[in-house]
Amino acid sequence: LNYYETHKSRGRLIVEYGRAIYPDAAAVSAFKAGGMQRRKVCNELLERIEDGMKSVIVSMPNYETLQLVHTARRLYRLNHPSALEKQDLNRRFAYAFKELLLRSDGNPPQEFLELKKNLHAYQQELVELGIRDYQVPGLDRERYEIDADTTMREMRIVNRTIQLIFIILVALIPGLLLNLPVKLISHWYVERRRKLLLSKSNVKINAHDVVLTERVVFCVALVPTLWLTYCILLSTLTDWEGPTIALITLFMPISSYWGIVVTEAGMVNLKDLRPYIMRIFPSSRRRLAALPAARKKLRHDLRQLVKEIGPTMGDLYFGKEVDWTSIQEQIRRKQQQLKKSE
């Protein structure tokens, strides 16, 4: 798991799946035997788990750089690689990126900077148009020069818009009354606690590690208190009977959960609606039509740069099996030498 902005709701993360690890029959028998054999089997299993975790960890300084690595991997391979091949190629690109920065003392070649800029621009274009990289190769086979009515009918934009509005309206009442006050009050409280704990600590940089814990603990007390407050207000400000107020109070947890679920569905629909709306406009259709050629050029430039720089990377380029522990140690030593020289 690669987490980014872990203290924020809807924080981005990338999940990489490795090869499944199964203990063999001999290991199970040795474990049942007990004694030193059990200890040895446990240590061997832990080593296999550690190696498996290392095989899927791709550490990069930020989310944008990691996205560039994934984009480069998708563009570099022409066929459909397996999950293990994807992970291996991701690691090769990531370590080559670090190695290149270390060799050049933070000033890589101009060709690399130009390619990085073009990859970032390609990513931004995909985000603005609301599509993914795997959808680009088929865009040159679509017809865009059609009238707007046909576009509206084929894309079902009206139906999706009505559906989105209905979902938002359904989630509005429980969201405003039950969830919005909790969000606002907890945000104020957590931010205040974060600043307080940061001022008392000598090791914390931003104190973001306490945000989620403080929010959960505070909401455990705040949410029932809010429901009880509504119950008291209904009892004092209305002439409703006790069973009616009790039924409304008992329905509040369901309404709160309903509002959260419907809001999540509305966010998904909103994201799905963007590419359909973008295709209405002629300028967006022209941008979509130009993407396959831009992707083809990027792939050509990337492969040319790999051919030029790749042979200088040794096993990262030539080796079928890479000793990642050795590679990591080499990079760590170079980073330490660079810090000492500074």
Side-chain angles (χ1 to χ4, degrees), residues 297-308:
K297 184 179 185 303
L298 266 179
R299 186 176 63 192
H300 176 267
D301 295 342
L302 174 65
R303 295 178 74 88
Q304 286 297 119
L305 184 64
V306 170
K307 286 182 180 179
E308 294 176 7

Side-chain angles (χ1 to χ4, degrees), residues 54-71:
K54 288 180 178 179
S55 68
V56 296
I57 293 175
V58 180
S59 60
M60 297 304 291
N62 52 53
Y63 178 80
E64 287 71 21
T65 307
L66 185 60
Q67 284 292 91
L68 284 176
V69 169
H70 282 263
T71 303

Side-chain angles (χ1 to χ4, degrees), residues 170-182 255-256 258-260 263:
V170 169
L172 186 62
I173 296 176
L176 287 177
L177 296 179
L178 300 175
N179 298 332
L180 184 61
V182 173
S255 300
S256 180
W258 187 18
I260 293 173
T263 302

Side-chain angles (χ1 to χ4, degrees), residues 210-249:
V210 302
V211 169
L212 184 58
T213 303
E214 292 288 342
R215 191 185 299 275
V216 171
V217 172
F218 183 70
C219 288
V220 167
L222 177 62
V223 170
T225 303
L226 181 65
W227 296 342
L228 183 60
T229 303
Y230 281 134
C231 179
I232 295 174
L233 290 176
L234 290 175
S235 301
T236 56
L237 301 179
T238 66
D239 55 354
W240 292 350
E241 297 180 355
T244 302
I245 296 176
L247 182 62
I248 293 175
T249 305

Side-chain angles (χ1 to χ4, degrees), residues 1 46 53 60 63 85 118 121 130 154 177-178 191 206 214 220 286 300 309 335-336:
L1 297 176
L46 288 175
M53 293 179 65
M60 297 304 291
Y63 178 80
E85 290 174 338
N118 293 337
E154 291 188 358
L177 296 179
L178 300 175
E191 186 63 20
N206 295 311
E214 292 288 342
V220 167
R286 287 192 293 269
H300 176 267
I309 300 179
Q335 289 175 341
Q336 292 174 353

Side-chain angles (χ1 to χ4, degrees), residues 10 60 70 93 111 156 178 321:
R10 297 180 181 273
M60 297 304 291
H70 282 263
F93 272 112
E111 296 83 357
R156 303 188 303 277
L178 300 175
E321 298 291 336

